[in-house]
Every structure is written in structure tokens, then in C-alpha cells.
Amino acid sequence: MISINKSEAKAIREHLPKVHIVRTMKQKSKRGHYFCEESRQAIKFLEDFRSRGNTVEKAGGENRFSKKA
């Protein structure tokens, strides 16, 4: 399991909906942590997401994480 933050968890859920993400300590919101499975897609997405400075391109451009119609 990979430790991730809240914004990374949100981005992963938007672009890779089948990746399993777990949040610990749900009842105590300030003590919770997010963890993601170690799949190749998730790791590659996190590397790209972190290198871009936590931004996701949404305006028009196609990339390998774009949802296919």
C-alpha cells in the first residue's frame, strides 16, 4: 500500500475508478490517512501527478489517463 494525501486520492478516484483506496480512522477525521494499492496504473499516475505539482489537465487535451468514450 502506498501512502497518499486527500487531493491525490480524489484525482485517482476520478481517473482510475477501479483502483482500491482505503482511509483509516474514519470516525476521527484529523487522524485519518489514505492508502492506495500498488498497481502499475496507480503508481504511474501518482508519479505523473506528483511531478506536475498536483494538477490534472482537464481542458480538452487527450492523455493516457483520459476516460475513453
Side-chain angles (χ1 to χ4, degrees), residues 34-48:
Y34 291 88
F35 292 96
C36 176
E37 70 180 48
E38 294 180 12
S39 67
R40 288 183 183 181
Q41 292 176 335
I43 292 172
K44 185 63 180 164
F45 180 80
L46 276 174
E47 287 174 357
D48 290 345

Side-chain angles (χ1 to χ4, degrees), residues 56-69:
V56 176
E57 294 180 14
K58 291 186 180 179
E62 287 289 322
N63 59 25
R64 68 174 165 252
F65 302 113
S66 296
K67 294 181 180 178
K68 306 273 194 249

Side-chain angles (χ1 to χ4, degrees), residues 16-35:
L16 302 170
K18 293 187 178 184
V19 173
H20 190 71
I21 298 173
V22 178
R23 183 171 186 273
T24 61
M25 299 295 290
K26 292 178 184 178
Q27 70 276 10
K28 301 274 186 178
S29 63
K30 294 184 182 186
R31 292 171 44 188
H33 297 280
Y34 291 88
F35 292 96

